[in-house]
Amino acid sequence: MTSEQSLRKASYHIGIFAVSKFVSVMGANIVAFGISLYILKLTGSATSFSINILCSIVPRVLFSPLIGYMADRYNKKVLVISSQILTVVTVAILLLYANWQGMSIMAIYIMMVFYTIFTSCSGITLTASIGQLVDQDRIQKVMSLNQLSMSLAAIGAPMIGGVLYGFVSIEVFLIIQIIAFSISTLLDATMNFNLYKTEKIHTEKSEPFLKSMKSAYHYIKNRKTLKTIIILALCLNLFFSAFSVGISYVLVEVVQFKSLHVGWIESIGAVGMLLASIYLTARKNLKNPIRFSKRALFALSSIFFIFALPLVILELTYLQLFIYYGVTAFLMTMAEVCTNVPIGVILQKNIEESYRGRVFALFETLAMGMMPFGILIYGFLYDYFGAPIVLIVTGVIVFTITLYLLRPSVLKQMEQEQQYEETEKLIEDKKIA
């Protein structure tokens, strides 16, 4: 295949990836919305609702390392397609069971466990395949489109799910999921997962699981860029739980907004995410992604202070508070996207093909593992110290961590390492050609 043909195929991949991602995420979000409401309506129990959330987090944390190992060892396309088919089968089994015996909470929990495992397998493997699907110059576009798809789904799914829930049964939600993932599977099956695959032979493929994961750990440890980004991501996943817990707590308990207006503010935040994704998709490649992320992180840390300001200083009317927190949510989600997308680009460009599955899996395992821990901690902190102190202190911590981990000397080392990796890749590509 000529260089021009490869570029045309990569362009096709970009379009298919975006459509497939949007369809699958939209379907998943609609079903998650419907199941959550169904469980709350059926049981009226927060505990039952929490168990459902755990069923979608714990399997991901436990199985991600194994999935990453498989993604580096076996054919990525086969893994993606087979895991998507198993996802469809899992949902179909629950649908058949519901028609046969009637829907039950336990059946939903069991389905959610297997569903999470299979969607994690397809998600991690597909993420690890991006460098093989598109050329290096358009990785930023793919990562931005990925974020754009999730943003559109975040806006559309609750609206569609809310309308459907009032008119259809939970079985219809399952049918929507089956259709969405079937379409996504058919689209992904048309892509060439070896378009930009390197032919270099890696001895790690014959290593057993534990030794292979250990070699991935050493791979990260010996690279300043990866090590810094992963440490930074872990810290942020912990401290940004202040937002995931705090937004609802502040708006509902402290400011006492009506639930409808809280939903509007969250929708405004989703629009901010959408616009930031469009901006990063349309603009030229970032010359220095890590410095761009650093500026976005400083903006995020300042939003903690902005969020706390009306609680300690400003006295605003209900309407003024609504506008204030709507603008704050908009800026916050924009800053989050401008932090996450450049980091994703750096990871895609700096991780060797033979390590991508394991590194992304370790990244997801550690990040997902920090979320429930952070939520528990911040739930206690908000109750004990109050929102203003928690938000201000967290903002100071995030600013300090960013300032330390991304200090000028570290940024210089990371840039030198990236230049070296790019030079090595060019030499390798020439050898292959």
Side-chain angles (χ1 to χ4, degrees):
M1 188 179 291
T2 65
S3 177
E4 187 178 343
Q5 288 174 324
S6 295
L7 288 173
R8 281 203 298 269
K9 187 67 175 177
S11 298
Y12 171 80
H13 287 167
I14 292 171
I16 290 296
F17 180 89
V19 174
S20 172
K21 194 74 173 182
F22 172 73
V23 170
S24 61
V25 173
M26 178 66 86
N29 285 5
I30 290 172
V31 170
F33 184 88
I35 285 177
S36 298
L37 290 181
Y38 180 80
I39 290 173
L40 284 173
K41 183 180 179 181
L42 194 66
T43 66
S45 168
T47 301
S48 299
F49 182 72
S50 300
I51 292 172
N52 184 56
I53 294 173
L54 286 175
C55 289
S56 64
I57 292 177
V58 175
R60 186 183 297 270
V61 174
L62 294 177
F63 284 88
S64 286
L66 178 60
I67 292 168
Y69 170 74
M70 292 170 62
D72 286 336
R73 186 180 178 91
Y74 302 111
N75 185 295
K76 288 183 174 65
K77 183 172 183 176
V78 171
L79 275 176
V80 169
I81 302 304
S82 59
S83 58
Q84 288 177 334
I85 290 171
L86 288 171
T87 302
V88 172
V89 170
T90 300
V91 180
I93 288 172
L94 178 63
L95 180 62
L96 292 172
Y97 177 85
N99 288 324
W100 178 42
Q101 294 285 345
M103 188 64 74
S104 72
I105 298 299
M106 185 56 67
I108 291 174
Y109 291 158
I110 294 171
M111 183 278 292
M112 190 58 68
V113 169
F114 286 98
Y115 173 86
T116 301
I117 293 170
F118 297 139
T119 53
S120 295
C121 186
S122 60
I124 290 172
T125 308
L126 194 57
T127 301
S129 304
I130 289 174
Q132 296 168 222
L133 291 169
V134 302
D135 51 291
Q136 292 283 303
D137 291 337
R138 288 188 286 181
I139 284 178
Q140 178 180 310
K141 183 179 287 292
V142 174
M143 300 304 292
S144 301
L145 284 170
N146 181 44
Q147 187 67 61
L148 179 62
S149 300
M150 291 190 288
S151 303
L152 288 169
I155 295 170
M159 292 190 292
I160 296 171
V163 171
L164 288 175
Y165 190 78
F167 297 98
V168 302
S169 66
I170 191 66
E171 287 81 4
V172 175
F173 282 84
L174 298 179
I175 293 170
I176 290 171
Q177 176 70 308
I178 290 171
I179 294 171
F181 263 85
S182 297
I183 293 171
S184 181
T185 303
L186 291 172
L187 290 172
D188 290 343
T190 66
M191 295 195 292
N192 178 5
F193 280 65
N194 296 320
L195 185 62
Y196 288 96
K197 183 178 176 65
T198 59
E199 300 299 325
K200 185 179 176 181
I201 297 173
H202 300 283
T203 57
E204 296 90 352
K205 287 192 174 182
S206 61
E207 290 178 343
F209 173 69
L210 291 178
K211 188 176 179 182
S212 180
M213 296 309 297
K214 187 177 178 181
S215 67
Y217 167 76
H218 286 296
Y219 177 80
I220 295 169
K221 186 179 176 182
N222 294 329
R223 282 159 176 77
K224 187 70 176 178
T225 300
L226 297 182
K227 186 168 67 174
T228 301
I229 287 175
I230 287 177
I231 293 171
L232 182 64
L234 289 178
C235 293
L236 294 178
N237 269 278
L238 173 61
F239 293 114
F240 274 58
S241 299
F243 271 138
S244 58
V245 176
I247 287 178
S248 298
Y249 178 79
V250 170
L251 298 183
V252 176
E253 296 296 329
V254 181
V255 182
Q256 295 185 337
F257 277 138
K258 295 177 182 178
S259 57
L260 175 64
H261 297 153
V262 173
W264 285 357
I265 288 172
E266 290 179 357
S267 297
I268 292 169
V271 172
M273 189 184 297
L274 176 65
L275 292 179
S277 302
I278 293 172
Y279 165 72
L280 288 171
T281 302
R283 68 157 291 160
K284 294 180 180 179
N285 285 343
L286 298 166
K287 290 183 179 180
N288 199 316
I290 193 63
R291 290 185 186 271
F292 188 88
S293 284
K294 182 180 179 179
R295 290 191 291 271
L297 280 170
F298 282 144
L300 268 173
S301 63
S302 68
I303 291 172
F304 280 97
F305 298 100
I306 295 171
F307 208 82
L309 207 57
L311 309 179
V312 292
I313 299 175
L314 300 176
E315 292 186 9
L316 303 174
T317 65
Y318 189 94
L319 178 59
Q320 289 170 335
L321 281 169
F322 174 79
I323 295 171
Y324 182 92
Y325 281 116
V327 172
T328 303
F330 180 85
L331 295 174
M332 180 184 67
T333 53
M334 286 194 76
E336 282 183 1
V337 172
C338 290
T339 299
N340 293 335
V341 170
I343 285 176
V345 172
I346 294 167
L347 292 175
Q348 288 288 345
K349 289 186 175 182
N350 284 271
I351 302 172
E352 290 179 22
E353 185 182 305
S354 61
Y355 283 96
R356 281 184 195 142
R358 283 167 289 169
V359 172
F360 279 116
L362 284 172
F363 190 83
E364 178 160 321
T365 299
L366 295 171
M368 291 294 293
M370 294 301 286
M371 284 175 59
F373 183 60
I375 289 169
L376 285 173
I377 289 176
Y378 274 101
F380 167 77
L381 290 175
Y382 276 112
D383 286 337
Y384 194 79
F385 293 103
I389 293 175
V390 173
L391 288 166
I392 291 169
V393 171
T394 303
V396 172
I397 292 172
V398 171
F399 184 87
T400 305
I401 287 173
T402 304
L403 202 61
Y404 175 73
L405 288 178
L406 299 180
R407 58 193 183 275
S409 60
V410 173
L411 288 176
K412 188 175 180 180
Q413 283 181 271
M414 292 171 72
E415 287 163 7
Q416 289 173 344
E417 187 174 271
Q418 284 177 262
Q419 288 172 359
Y420 174 79
E421 295 282 350
E422 288 172 6
T423 303
E424 287 290 301
K425 191 176 187 310
L426 284 172
I427 294 170
E428 185 66 29
D429 290 344
K430 286 180 181 178
K431 287 181 180 177
I432 294 170

